[in-house]
Amino acid sequence: MAFNLVAIGTSLGGLSALKIVLQNLPERFITPIAIAQHRHKESDNTLSSLLQQFTGLPIHEVEDKQKILPGHVYIAPADYHLLVEAGHFSLSTDEPVSYARPSIDVLLESAADVYGSQMIAILLTGANRDGVQGLAAVKARGGVTIVQEPQTAESPILPRAAISTVQVDSILPLPCIAPYLVHLCNPAGW
Amino acid sequence: MTTELNPEDIEFQLLVEGIYCRYGYDFRNYAPASLKRRIRRFLHVEGLPTISALQDRILHDQDCIKRLLLSLTVNTTAMFRDPGFYIAFREQVVPILRTYPFIRIWHAGCSTGQEVYSMAILLQEAGIYHRCRIYGTDANEQVLQTARTGIYPYKQMQEYTRLYLKAGGQRSFSEYYTANHGSAIFHPSLREHIVFGQHNLVTDRSFNEFNVIICRNVLIYFNQTLQNQVHGLFYNSLCNFGILGLGKQETIRFTAYEGCYEALVSAEKLYRRCN
């Protein structure tokens, strides 16, 4: 099964968790990755330049209608929701969801609409419930759902809420997530 | 990618088509992801199980379409929103505007007008406001009524003051308004050269030639077909070397008009028409 998108949502503690996921992905990892990380509305693009230090995959703060390309990592810009359309992204300034803009629910629900069973959704560390509904939507459309093992999360609230609400496919310690993605997206090896 | 439409996608298309046939409001070229999201939220508010049930109600109930239109409108705005944009405007655009005897500025999709008043303040501080005329337009008459009053909740002033100062504001922000019973009433002198009027970017045509067009975080709600159409409208409404200002995460790059502009301040999405 080929996947068209990996969507990752995280909140409190996300920066160090994302660092570990990204640095363990090979540079040949071709499935596009979209990330919604809760952040302050006036933060600049330091998040993407920080994360860029840990991966050879090019990282972008999404601009409206940017194409989704293989081997690229896309980050929801501060103060915008990131939505997935067929083959590209859209942004919105609709009101925050669970106090968050970008919201993880918005990213995952829109991605589930477009990619259905051909996507993987991952929830990492976080201190509120934004993302749980989105993960449920991905599950309902047949996508693969992965949650960080709560004990390995800086803030276990989001992973716990997800596990108790959604019948998730895999619960993995943080260091195992990247290898598992490689296994899912390229089972035949490189 | 899944190409086959699920039942909800079909219902969604039929609803949008139905609204257009029945009422003439054209959402057919809106970006589907955000529109879908807002329609789902409206379903929830109305207590309806499916989009088909909503379609039934919309086609037969004139009040329901009014409620839907209100809930589809996004009115996120603030004074001096994205302060860096105003700093760039002050430093890079104002010197160009000084060379014109008369300056026409169009704020397209201005919502309740906060960014229009911000521009009036900036131009006043730059000493060229008396030579300007600002046209603030929106498709929604209701938000324009708020814009015309220049009255905003007082509780927002702390945030607006912070943004004003970050945007390089030169005075005390409270000089621009009078506080009254929980409201901040902006001085009518700021409105002296502003005209607020209804204009629908989807269906209406150009109404003047402008030196500056500002349209921030409006086109993100349109698909690429409609974005190209509106960019055509902007291009044809700008004078030679006119300035186009977009939202922080918007770009001319993915549109058909990429080659028609040069970046003036690329980080702040200020472009200059170059042919």
Side-chain angles (χ1 to χ4, degrees):
Chain A
M1 159 77 86
F3 292 100
N4 287 313
L5 186 74
V6 175
I8 303 177
T10 181
S11 175
L12 189 64
L15 179 58
S16 37
L18 286 170
K19 176 187 139 184
I20 288 172
V21 174
L22 290 177
Q23 74 185 3
N24 287 307
L25 287 176
E27 281 188 31
R28 294 157 300 179
F29 189 82
I30 54 161
T31 314
I33 300 173
I35 298 171
Q37 150 86 72
H38 288 173
R39 55 206 289 210
H40 189 267
K41 64 176 180 180
E42 278 162 55
S43 50
D44 50 18
N45 55 8
T46 45
L47 175 65
S48 47
S49 23
L50 261 170
L51 289 175
Q52 189 67 79
Q53 299 176 315
F54 304 106
T55 176
L57 301 168
I59 299 188
H60 314 269
E61 300 246 338
V62 175
E63 290 186 312
D64 185 53
K65 303 299 178 281
Q66 189 159 8
K67 276 203 184 99
I68 301 174
L69 297 174
H72 289 246
V73 178
Y74 301 92
I75 297 193
D79 212 21
Y80 287 87
H81 293 304
L82 175 63
L83 298 107
V84 175
E85 312 265 10
H88 62 270
F89 293 104
S90 279
L91 300 175
S92 107
T93 57
D94 285 15
E95 57 269 39
V97 174
S98 310
Y99 309 102
R101 185 169 63 207
S103 144
I104 302 165
D105 279 340
V106 171
L107 169 64
L108 295 188
E109 286 172 6
S110 63
D113 272 351
V114 174
Y115 290 120
S117 62
Q118 285 148 308
M119 69 168 290
I120 299 166
I122 304 170
L123 290 183
L124 304 174
T125 167
N128 76 359
R129 287 183 60 89
D130 175 43
V132 174
Q133 223 174 299
L135 199 74
V138 172
K139 179 77 190 178
R141 294 285 174 102
V144 175
T145 51
I146 300 171
V147 173
Q148 179 180 358
E149 154 67 52
Q151 280 169 337
T152 68
E154 203 169 313
S155 176
I157 297 170
L158 174 60
R160 278 198 191 125
I163 292 164
S164 65
T165 314
V166 184
Q167 192 80 33
V168 299
D169 299 307
S170 310
I171 300 165
L172 297 173
L174 185 58
C176 301
I177 290 178
Y180 189 58
L181 280 178
V182 173
H183 163 75
L184 284 177
C185 295
N186 198 340
W190 302 97
Chain B
M1 153 186 343
T2 14
T3 43
E4 132 198 3
L5 292 176
N6 64 45
E8 203 200 42
D9 284 333
I10 298 168
E11 287 178 297
F12 175 75
Q13 281 185 10
L14 291 172
L15 175 74
V16 166
E17 205 60 52
I19 292 171
Y20 179 65
C21 295
R22 174 82 170 84
Y23 301 101
Y25 298 110
D26 193 352
F27 293 101
R28 293 175 300 174
N29 281 315
Y30 272 53
S34 52
L35 185 60
K36 252 186 223 173
R37 212 188 145 76
R38 270 173 280 144
I39 285 176
R40 282 185 191 141
R41 193 185 55 193
F42 188 72
L43 283 183
H44 184 73
V45 172
E46 296 276 310
L48 293 167
T50 60
I51 296 179
S52 299
L54 174 62
Q55 177 166 39
D56 181 44
R57 191 174 284 181
I58 287 285
L59 292 179
H60 301 106
D61 179 352
Q62 305 251 3
D63 287 329
C64 187
I65 182 73
K66 281 184 200 150
R67 292 196 297 277
L68 177 67
L69 289 177
L70 273 181
S71 85
L72 292 185
T73 322
V74 182
N75 289 311
T76 313
T77 186
M79 293 192 83
F80 295 99
R81 181 183 188 191
D82 303 323
F85 177 84
Y86 290 90
I87 290 179
F89 196 93
R90 210 186 282 266
E91 289 172 356
Q92 305 293 327
V93 180
V94 165
I96 297 171
L97 299 185
R98 283 190 203 285
T99 65
Y100 295 122
F102 188 74
I103 304 147
R104 270 190 298 265
I105 299 174
W106 178 16
H107 267 267
C110 72
S111 188
T112 40
Q114 281 88 331
E115 296 188 51
V116 183
Y117 285 96
S118 308
M119 184 57 68
I121 288 170
L122 184 155
L123 295 167
Q124 220 177 51
E125 292 182 1
I128 54 173
Y129 186 51
H130 60 283
R131 285 194 272 143
C132 296
R133 170 137 302 165
I134 311 180
Y135 298 81
T137 66
D138 201 280
N140 181 336
E141 180 54 37
Q142 212 161 328
V143 294
L144 289 171
Q145 282 172 17
T146 304
R148 287 191 192 98
T149 64
I151 302 175
Y152 302 111
Y154 185 75
K155 61 175 194 294
Q156 289 170 349
M157 290 310 121
Q158 199 180 351
E159 171 71 354
Y160 290 178
T161 303
R162 194 179 64 78
L163 292 169
Y164 166 75
L165 293 172
K166 251 187 128 174
Q170 295 164 356
R171 295 167 62 176
S172 161
F173 191 54
S174 58
E175 289 176 32
Y176 291 107
Y177 61 84
T178 311
N180 187 18
H181 295 96
S183 294
I185 304 166
F186 279 80
H187 290 173
S189 67
L190 284 175
R191 211 165 37 245
E192 228 161 76
H193 303 282
I194 301 175
V195 181
F196 286 109
Q198 205 170 4
H199 180 277
N200 187 331
L201 287 171
V202 183
T203 49
D204 293 341
R205 311 185 60 160
S206 181
F207 57 97
N208 215 323
E209 190 181 72
F210 300 96
N211 306 99
V212 178
I213 295 178
I214 291 169
C215 183
R216 310 184 71 219
N217 300 312
V218 177
L219 301 185
I220 54 178
Y221 293 100
F222 300 165
N223 71 10
Q224 281 171 301
T225 307
L226 187 49
Q227 283 194 353
N228 281 331
Q229 180 192 317
V230 177
H231 271 299
L233 172 67
F234 289 163
Y235 177 78
N236 290 313
S237 306
L238 273 175
C239 68
N240 226 343
F241 302 115
I243 309 288
L244 177 67
L246 301 176
K248 198 161 178 48
Q249 297 298 130
E250 294 179 276
T251 175
I252 197 81
R253 227 168 68 220
F254 310 128
T255 76
Y257 289 83
E258 179 179 7
C260 303
Y261 293 88
E262 58 185 9
L264 191 65
V265 185
S266 56
E268 296 299 339
K269 306 302 157 65
L270 282 163
Y271 298 94
R272 193 173 194 189
R273 185 184 143 154
C274 61
N275 64 15

